[in-house]
Amino acid sequence: MSALAKTGLFSEINGLDTSVFDSPQLNEYMSLNRTIWRSVRQSLQQFLCDETHTVRKQINVDDVAVPIKEVRMHMPAKIGDYTDFYASREHATNVGVMFRGKDNALMPNWTHLPVGYHGRASSVVVSGTPLRRPNGQRRPNPDSPPVFGPSTRLDYELEMAFFVGPGNSLGTALSVDEAEDRIFGVVLMNDWSARDIQAWEYVPLGPFLGKSFGTTVSPWVVTMDALEPFRVMQPEQDPEPLPYLQCSSADKRGGFDINLNVHIKPYESNEYFALTRSNLKYMYWSLRQQLAHHTVNGCNMRPGDLCGTGTISGLTEESFGSMLELSWSGKNPIKLGSSEISRTFVEDNDTVRLTGYCQGEGYRVGFGECTGTILPAVDLGL
């Protein structure tokens, strides 16, 4: 992008200081606005697709492109703050049924607001980065004191996440309509979870060590303009959300049809096996509702802040977005394909891969991969 900017490709875009492309991360570019992002995207597409483009007289595509096999992907932005939501009704219901029973599956507030918690930005890593199994306190026997050691119920969570663009000033709030234009783009995310550590620690303040050991994101950020053709209605919301969570624009479609898949490569094999087939369109609370809710108290969001959707599950078992659900809290081993291998949770040296795409007529918009391998826990000698 920096090389293309020097040719004058983006010179006619009002408000764009092309020095933003000299930065190793996208935060400065994210701080601009959707009109500029759209213009840059259009200029880039024209350069790539039109062999008679005037800039092609100065520079060829091969002069600015890097062969994909030689590409080393990096974290797309410096993440200042990271928030994770809990926006899938099916996932929240499944977990609630497991631990509280069918009659109390959803907490009273769940259908009234997008539930979320503040995560740890420092341990968000780019796809391909291995992570250590976390140590922590667990209480496997409810009648005995807690024990310390490596998590024995390590899980993946199929999520997506969005990077915030311009954000908002401290003390101000974004409407749902404004929030849409403040979202820069979307990535795949695996918010790894140590279920046993989390279960013991989370009351009363929520997740801590069971989540903060690592979160993996894909490096390819798909812009909201690229997702525009794949808008769909999100699930019906009952009761009707409070006014600040309602959209007043003509386009009420807050969901996106994004196919999501999870595969696992167990340490015993070189083959990947399918675990989950889900879709972002199942998500109850939309991306724009999540961002609007995040700011309604005056919290300021900044360029490069990351917000996760929470685990994305559907109604069918194959669409469950975690091993907690697929194994129903470890009670039902998950058979991997036609092999003799099974899992209830992720084991040491297993690799989990998330992929996603939008399917158009004769084309796809892909999200790349979000891949991570779990290494054995550090032996603390305790």
Side-chain angles (χ1 to χ4, degrees):
M1 295 294 286
S2 179
L4 286 174
K6 290 178 173 59
T7 69
L9 180 63
F10 310 117
S11 61
E12 296 184 5
I13 300 176
N14 291 329
L16 174 63
D17 179 351
T18 56
S19 66
V20 298
F21 297 127
D22 296 331
S23 174
Q25 294 169 315
L26 291 174
N27 295 67
E28 288 185 61
Y29 183 56
M30 290 175 173
S31 71
L32 304 178
N33 59 62
R34 190 165 181 177
T35 299
I36 294 176
W37 304 332
R38 179 179 292 131
S39 297
V40 169
R41 180 171 181 264
Q42 291 171 345
S43 296
L44 187 59
Q45 287 175 324
Q46 290 166 3
F47 168 77
L48 293 173
C49 299
D50 183 2
E51 294 184 359
T52 65
H53 197 288
T54 55
V55 174
R56 291 281 192 102
K57 298 176 182 179
Q58 305 175 48
I59 193 168
N60 294 319
V61 173
D62 290 344
D63 295 328
V64 292
V66 178
I68 193 67
K69 292 183 179 179
E70 299 176 16
V71 171
R72 179 185 175 190
M73 301 304 295
H74 299 271
M75 185 69 71
K78 180 176 176 58
I79 301 170
D81 285 294
Y82 158 52
T83 299
D84 195 32
F85 286 93
Y86 194 48
S88 164
R89 182 168 189 157
E90 287 75 20
H91 173 69
T93 299
N94 287 339
V95 174
V97 169
M98 281 182 224
F99 298 109
R100 291 188 299 273
K102 186 176 181 180
D103 293 337
N104 298 298
L106 288 179
M107 299 299 285
N109 64 351
W110 199 93
T111 55
H112 293 274
L113 56 84
V115 173
Y117 74 96
H118 294 286
R120 182 72 185 175
S122 65
S123 55
V124 179
V125 299
V126 73
S127 176
T129 306
L131 290 169
R132 289 280 178 187
R133 180 177 297 271
N135 287 301
Q137 288 192 30
R138 301 175 284 113
R139 196 181 187 187
N141 185 344
D143 299 321
S144 300
V147 298
F148 178 85
S151 170
T152 61
R153 291 163 64 90
L154 185 59
D155 201 357
Y156 70 86
E157 288 192 349
L158 169 60
E159 302 194 24
M160 302 200 78
F162 62 85
F163 279 102
V164 175
N168 60 297
S169 300
L170 183 65
T172 68
L174 298 174
S175 69
V176 170
D177 300 284
E178 290 172 328
E180 177 113 338
D181 288 335
R182 306 299 177 96
I183 297 174
F184 175 74
V186 182
V187 295
L188 301 169
M189 188 172 90
N190 181 355
D191 192 29
W192 302 91
S193 295
R195 301 294 185 184
D196 44 359
I197 296 174
Q198 183 179 347
W200 171 236
E201 73 179 0
Y202 83 101
V203 177
L205 294 181
F208 186 27
L209 302 185
K211 303 288 284 185
S212 61
F213 64 94
T215 298
T216 305
V217 297
S218 58
W220 299 100
V221 185
V222 179
T223 65
M224 302 309 290
D225 278 348
L227 295 179
E228 197 66 32
F230 307 101
R231 280 187 178 276
V232 294
M233 294 297 292
Q234 66 198 85
E236 181 181 358
Q237 295 185 322
D238 183 22
E240 183 179 71
L242 292 173
Y244 80 92
L245 288 170
Q246 295 180 22
C247 176
S248 60
S249 69
D251 196 338
K252 303 295 184 183
R253 297 173 300 163
F256 294 93
D257 184 2
I258 304 176
N259 298 287
L260 300 169
N261 298 282
V262 182
H263 291 77
I264 188 170
K265 184 173 73 173
Y267 72 85
E268 306 99 319
S269 173
N270 291 320
E271 181 181 353
Y272 277 98
F273 298 92
L275 287 174
T276 299
R277 293 179 59 191
S278 192
N279 196 298
L280 185 67
K281 67 184 180 183
Y282 302 145
M283 193 170 64
Y284 187 89
W285 294 106
S286 69
L287 304 179
R288 59 191 183 186
Q289 286 178 314
Q290 291 170 36
L291 182 54
H293 181 67
H294 204 316
T295 68
V296 75
N297 68 339
C299 174
N300 55 317
M301 304 295 287
R302 297 174 295 186
D305 283 354
L306 185 71
C307 293
T309 61
T311 305
I312 303 165
S313 296
L315 289 171
T316 62
E317 185 174 340
E318 73 166 2
S319 67
F320 292 172
S322 65
M323 297 181 91
L324 178 71
E325 295 166 272
L326 290 169
S327 71
W328 209 251
S329 193
K331 295 177 182 177
N332 306 317
I334 306 161
K335 192 173 186 302
L336 302 183
S338 59
S339 73
E340 299 299 317
I341 306 170
S342 65
R343 287 288 185 272
T344 51
F345 292 98
V346 180
E347 297 191 12
D348 288 348
N349 300 308
D350 286 353
T351 299
V352 177
R353 181 182 68 193
L354 279 58
T355 55
Y357 65 91
C358 302
Q359 184 64 58
E361 291 189 17
Y363 72 99
R364 280 186 176 184
V365 175
F367 287 78
E369 294 185 356
C370 177
T371 302
T373 300
I374 295 298
L375 302 179
V378 174
D379 184 357
L380 300 177
L382 299 175

